[in-house]
Amino acid sequence: MDFLTLLVVYLCSVLAAVALLCACSGRKASFLARSVSGASQVLSFVIPTQLQTATQRVLHRLFHTRSCLFVVLHVALQAAVYGEYTWEVFVYCWELQFHLLLLLLPYLLLAGNMGCFILCSRANPGIITKSNHASLVKIYAYDGVLFQKGIVCPTCNMEKPARSKHCSFCSMCVHRFDHHCVWVNNCIGAFNAKYFFLYLVTLTAMAATVAIVTAALLIQVVLLSNMMRGSYIDDQGQERAVEILFLIQHLFLTFPRIVFMLGFVILLTLVLGAYCCFHLYLALTNQTSNEWYKSRRYGWSHHLTLQPHDRRVYKNTYSKGVWMNLKEIFKPPTVLERKKK
């Protein structure tokens, strides 16, 4: 195996680690992440030290400090999709007399999404300071499993309120910490969770709407051309009826950018839809991503009790019912509200 091949394999493993860390959004590495790290360590024996050092610096810059790189990537992807949608899909659909409201819906969703994105990235997620620490520590009770009284953050030098966590990206403790989102370059906490949830919903709706309009365009083209009733000559010289695979190949050769964009937004819709459903589940059960991840280490029970060998069983003590849980996302509780209960 020559040096160039080793270099390509090494870079691919690094890119895989980047994609994984990006998907994890700041959580602890999973088994797959550790596997990628192990593969990188094996390859490090044959990769030049200078390249290893440069790669480590880039990864540290990306995933251990706040960076605008993913924000730029986010905007670039949206610009690419909407550029293709505007210059080709919109024009063809307009010629085929699609309803104007359907064609403008992706732009309306884009405006709402950009508003939620700006609010989420610029809002204070719930930074814990010495001035607000006394009030924030009274909002949530310690559950004794995930959050215990008396734990001091060594960086902020303050006792951690229940449901808070220190963010290594931003170097600060955040109230009702969910995760650090590299795509908005900000932590998701008590005070911007509503913006992040609306951002996810509008982003999913954007991808789904673009996919629906694009798919409708291609279907209309197929119906108008009457291709499904046609035939073609295969490599053996035999006449065959048009099949789905042949139809997809023909559309890709005729509209390559449109078909590629359709595949991309369909995949994006599925991924974002699943992630959006996950955060809806967290909202309805009054959990954060951080709490959900940490609770996997414990058993699940309706009661907080001691199991054999004194193993703690986790119970979500913060859930107050579906409606109140959802309300808490859009109106975080204050000390005064908690005293009234």
Side-chain angles (χ1 to χ4, degrees):
M1 185 179 291
D2 59 9
F3 172 77
L4 182 59
T5 304
L6 286 172
L7 179 61
V8 171
V9 172
Y10 177 73
L11 292 177
C12 287
S13 66
V14 169
L15 289 175
V18 169
L20 180 64
L21 288 171
C22 178
C24 290
S25 301
R27 300 188 196 100
K28 292 183 178 180
S30 63
F31 172 77
L32 182 58
R34 292 193 296 270
S35 300
V36 172
S37 176
S40 300
Q41 290 177 1
V42 172
L43 290 172
S44 66
F45 291 106
V46 292
I47 300 299
T49 306
Q50 294 83 354
L51 180 59
Q52 296 179 41
T53 303
T55 303
Q56 291 172 358
R57 287 178 179 174
V58 171
L59 292 178
H60 178 80
R61 176 67 178 173
L62 289 177
F63 298 107
H64 295 279
T65 58
R66 296 188 67 176
S67 171
C68 293
L69 176 63
F70 287 98
V71 175
V72 174
L73 179 60
H74 171 273
V75 174
L77 288 173
Q78 283 192 337
V81 169
Y82 271 85
E84 181 63 24
Y85 175 82
T86 301
W87 297 114
E88 293 206 50
V89 176
F90 186 94
V91 173
Y92 287 139
C93 289
W94 181 258
E95 293 177 355
L96 294 174
Q97 298 182 340
F98 277 54
H99 198 285
L100 181 61
L101 181 59
L102 177 62
L103 299 180
L104 293 180
L105 185 56
Y107 298 104
L108 298 177
L109 290 170
L110 175 64
N113 179 258
M114 291 306 296
C116 295
F117 170 78
I118 293 172
L119 289 173
C120 185
S121 61
R122 302 292 295 176
N124 177 2
I127 301 173
I128 301 174
T129 61
K130 294 186 181 299
S131 59
N132 65 14
H133 177 268
S135 59
L136 292 179
V137 79
K138 298 176 182 178
I139 294 179
Y140 294 112
Y142 294 93
D143 63 4
V145 180
L146 301 185
F147 306 104
Q148 302 194 23
K149 188 175 179 61
I151 303 298
V152 177
C153 175
T155 303
C156 301
N157 197 25
M158 292 184 294
E159 181 182 4
K160 290 183 178 182
R163 310 192 78 181
S164 68
K165 185 179 185 299
H166 184 85
C167 176
S168 59
F169 289 79
C170 305
S171 189
M172 60 189 182
C173 286
V174 178
H175 174 53
R176 199 183 184 275
F177 177 86
D178 191 280
H179 70 286
H180 181 94
C181 180
V182 295
W183 298 105
V184 300
N185 197 27
N186 198 7
C187 285
I188 308 302
F191 302 143
N192 66 346
K194 54 182 176 291
Y195 302 131
F196 180 74
F197 182 72
L198 294 175
Y199 163 76
L200 273 183
V201 171
T202 53
L203 192 62
T204 305
M206 281 168 48
T209 305
V210 171
I212 290 171
V213 174
T214 306
L217 167 64
L218 295 177
I219 292 173
Q220 189 73 358
V221 168
V222 171
L223 294 176
L224 291 175
S225 63
N226 206 23
M227 288 182 58
M228 293 302 295
R229 297 182 181 179
S231 60
Y232 68 99
I233 306 298
D234 63 12
D235 296 337
Q236 286 74 32
Q238 296 181 353
E239 185 176 0
R240 293 182 178 275
V242 172
E243 301 169 348
I244 296 297
L245 182 59
F246 175 84
L247 188 61
I248 294 175
Q249 291 175 345
H250 176 76
L251 289 174
F252 185 78
L253 293 174
T254 308
F255 308 103
R257 292 194 300 272
I258 293 179
V259 174
F260 180 81
M261 183 193 73
L262 176 60
F264 174 74
V265 292
I266 288 177
L267 177 62
L268 200 61
T269 301
L270 296 175
V271 174
L272 289 173
Y275 193 52
C276 191
C277 290
F278 172 66
H279 271 273
L280 177 60
Y281 161 75
L282 294 178
L284 295 177
T285 56
N286 204 333
Q287 297 183 80
T288 65
S289 298
N290 177 54
E291 292 165 4
W292 179 87
Y293 180 81
K294 290 170 69 175
S295 68
R296 300 307 97 188
R297 301 182 227 164
Y298 301 91
W300 189 265
S301 172
H302 294 289
H303 302 282
L304 185 59
T305 182
L306 288 177
Q307 294 294 308
H309 307 293
D310 293 336
R311 185 174 64 88
R312 283 285 186 177
V313 175
Y314 172 71
K315 176 187 182 294
N316 180 14
T317 60
Y318 303 112
S319 180
K320 308 178 186 67
V322 171
W323 172 247
M324 292 302 296
N325 292 341
L326 191 60
K327 182 182 177 181
E328 187 170 314
I329 295 296
F330 294 92
K331 187 183 177 182
T334 61
V335 180
L336 294 177
E337 290 176 347
R338 189 166 184 267
K339 285 182 178 180
K340 292 178 182 179
K341 297 177 182 179

